[in-house]
């Protein structure tokens, strides 16, 4: 080893330092030259032991100077790198922003609110009642006594044992099969005139398939006053259909049967999918059934103590899921309950 080696080592270090870019490069460099075990400068110093006394003097001083020079150069560069490096949790302002996901109300809620808004504008009041119901309000007062064959139309979910209802009177024995019980609950506690809608969940012993669910949503409507006629019913529901579907929409009333209305009807609207020409949505009839309705049966008035000679009224029941299916052109009711965001983000009023 000679003094030349010191110069050669210095040149090699300077070239390497020039090429170093990252803190990792500097660390590699420090290791290569200054490591106690295998560093190049360390090897140079160790070689002095075998040199002549004259060589020892000059070489010792030169190698020491080189060692300090390299250390100083690395210290400087490392300090610079540390100063310019961003802290680990730094905010990178050049990254594109993250778009926040905006939640919205469920399609079924939107449809329910749309129906409510239309009737609120017509002066109706929104009321709510219990989903656990007793036999009187769900059946008997609605002109369906114990042995009435119409009870077979409803596959009822009965409770294993009766539970008290908040109103304190009768014990609940079933999950309500329709919101029509709210007609009774309201008339029992209010005198005419009546103008209410009652939205809420109802339950049936149905299978869960494309067109059935064991739980769904209805909106019940009830109007009672002196001189209420079938014409009022038709005018009200035609107005509702026009507002709900937007613009003029053809409707028809088809005779039907419910124990608690007489006469009873189903309201059909012209199919929005085919403008009445016939398509899969309307099963090629050109019409879509949206609700059941009728004039309140005198037996219902008697059950709640209203004078059926003095008062008349009409009632209707809208299925929210059914309306939503028509409105969104969806063919499987289960999509409303599976909470797949890809679906929920697509359907909106
Ligand atoms: Zn159609």
């Amino acid at each position: 080893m000679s003094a030349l080696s010191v110069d050669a080592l210095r040149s090699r270090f300077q070239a390497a330092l020039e090429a170093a870019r990252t803190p990792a490069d500097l660390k590699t460099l420090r290791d290569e030259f200054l490591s106690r075990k295998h560093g190049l400068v360390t090897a140079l110093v160790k070689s002095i032991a075998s040199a002549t006394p004259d060589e020892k003097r000059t070489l010792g001083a030169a190698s020491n100077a080189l060692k300090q020079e390299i250390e100083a150069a690395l210290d400087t560069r490392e300090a610079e790198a540390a100063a310019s490096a961003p802290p680990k949790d730094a905010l990178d302002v050049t990254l594109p922003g993250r778009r926040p996901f905006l939640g919205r109300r469920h399609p079924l809620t939107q449809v329910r609110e749309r129906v409510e808004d239309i009737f609120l504008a017509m002066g109706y009041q929104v009321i709510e009642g219990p989903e656990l119901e007793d036999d009187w309000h769900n059946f008997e007062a609605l002109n369906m006594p114990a042995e009435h064959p119409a009870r077979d139309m409803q596959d009822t979910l009965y409770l294993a044992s009766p539970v008290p209802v908040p109103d304190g009177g009768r014990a609940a024995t079933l999950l309500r099969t329709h919101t029509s019980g709210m007609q009774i609950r309201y008339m029992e506690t209010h005198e005419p005139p009546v103008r209410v809608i009652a939205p809420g969940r109802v339950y049936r012993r149905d299978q869960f398939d494309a067109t059935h669910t064991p739980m769904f949503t209805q909106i019940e409507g009830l109007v009672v006053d002196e001189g209420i006629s079938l014409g009022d019913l038709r005018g009200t529901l035609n107005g509702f259909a026009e507002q709900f579907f937007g613009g003029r929409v053809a409707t028809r009333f088809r005779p039907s049967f419910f124990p608690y209305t007489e006469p009873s009807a189903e309201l059909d609207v012209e199919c929005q999918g085919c403008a009445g020409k016939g398509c899969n949505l309307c099963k090629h009839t050109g019409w879509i059934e949206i609700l059941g309705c009728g004039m309140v049966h005198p037996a219902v008035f008697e059950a709640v103590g209203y004078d059926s000679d003095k008062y008349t009224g009409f009632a209707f029941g809208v299925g929210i899921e059914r309306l939503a299916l028509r409105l969104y052109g969806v063919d499987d009711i289960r999509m409303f309950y599976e909470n797949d965001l890809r679906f929920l983000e697509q359907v909106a009023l």
Side-chain angles (χ1 to χ4, degrees):
M1 191 62 68
S2 68
L4 262 184
S5 296
V6 174
D7 290 338
L9 211 49
R10 176 178 287 113
S11 304
R12 183 171 165 176
F13 172 75
Q14 282 167 349
L17 186 65
E18 192 82 16
R21 290 282 171 272
T22 66
D25 292 343
L26 295 172
K27 189 175 182 306
T28 306
L29 212 50
R30 184 180 283 279
D31 196 47
E32 185 185 351
F33 285 87
L34 300 178
S35 162
R36 284 182 188 281
K37 275 187 179 169
H38 51 77
L40 293 171
V41 177
T42 314
L44 178 67
V45 172
K46 278 179 184 164
S47 70
I48 297 172
S50 57
T52 63
D54 274 355
E55 276 177 340
K56 269 184 186 170
R57 202 172 299 120
T58 50
L59 205 52
S63 61
N64 244 343
L66 178 64
K67 188 182 174 189
Q68 285 169 9
E69 198 180 310
I70 289 178
E71 269 175 352
L74 282 173
D75 285 351
T76 305
R77 281 290 301 271
E78 280 169 356
E80 282 170 10
S84 63
K88 273 182 182 164
D89 56 351
L91 181 70
D92 184 350
V93 294
T94 64
L95 279 175
R98 282 181 202 147
R99 189 176 290 273
F101 172 70
L102 290 180
R104 66 162 79 96
R105 281 164 299 171
H106 192 275
L108 294 178
T109 306
Q110 293 183 43
V111 171
R112 175 172 60 75
E113 289 180 347
R114 180 149 156 175
V115 175
E116 286 176 6
D117 286 346
I118 292 169
F119 284 102
L120 282 169
M122 288 195 267
Y124 286 66
Q125 187 190 339
V126 180
I127 58 169
E128 288 186 341
E131 291 172 26
L132 293 172
E133 192 52 286
D134 57 61
D135 193 84
W136 168 258
H137 290 100
N138 198 75
F139 293 123
E140 206 165 335
L142 287 164
N143 200 25
M144 287 182 275
E147 303 306 323
H148 197 287
R151 287 192 178 202
D152 288 344
M153 290 164 64
Q154 323 231 12
D155 282 336
T156 308
L157 287 159
Y158 285 95
L159 304 178
S161 56
V163 298
V165 200
D167 75 355
R170 303 153 203 266
T173 53
L174 51 88
L175 289 167
R176 67 179 174 188
T177 57
H178 51 189
T179 45
S180 303
M182 286 307 295
Q183 293 183 30
I184 306 303
R185 287 190 172 275
Y186 190 81
M187 288 191 286
E188 279 176 341
T189 51
H190 297 78
E191 289 300 314
V194 173
R195 196 178 289 262
V196 293
I197 54 169
R201 282 186 282 271
V202 302
Y203 302 84
R204 305 268 175 97
R205 285 187 59 188
D206 269 327
Q207 66 275 40
F208 193 50
D209 63 26
T211 54
H212 298 84
T213 49
M215 182 205 80
F216 53 100
T217 323
Q218 281 189 339
I219 295 188
E220 191 77 11
L222 176 68
V223 172
V224 181
D225 204 348
E226 291 180 43
I228 297 290
S229 70
L230 192 60
D232 294 317
L233 167 64
R234 293 199 56 166
T236 300
L237 295 182
N238 278 338
F240 161 71
E242 282 186 12
Q243 287 189 63
F244 187 83
F245 291 102
R248 293 206 69 79
V249 56
T251 59
R252 71 174 183 189
F253 286 79
R254 211 159 22 82
S256 184
F257 172 76
F258 305 107
Y260 38 97
T261 48
E262 177 58 35
S264 303
E266 304 268 1
L267 173 67
D268 294 347
V269 296
E270 191 180 64
C271 177
Q272 307 288 294
C274 62
K277 290 185 187 69
C279 67
N280 284 337
L281 198 62
C282 58
K283 299 193 180 88
H284 301 279
T285 62
W287 295 95
I288 284 178
E289 177 193 322
I290 63 163
L291 59 82
C293 58
M295 301 303 290
V296 178
H297 197 289
V300 174
F301 284 152
E302 277 157 34
V304 297
Y306 277 16
D307 182 352
S308 61
D309 290 330
K310 189 177 177 189
Y311 296 110
T312 50
F314 64 79
F316 54 88
V318 190
I320 294 300
E321 284 78 359
R322 190 186 292 179
L323 276 184
L325 290 174
R326 303 306 175 233
L327 198 64
Y328 299 123
V330 175
D331 57 8
D332 191 331
I333 199 170
R334 288 171 291 195
M335 299 187 79
F336 289 116
Y337 294 106
E338 282 166 352
N339 290 331
D340 185 334
L341 280 179
R342 291 168 301 180
F343 168 72
L344 294 178
E345 282 174 15
Q346 273 180 48
V347 294
L349 285 175

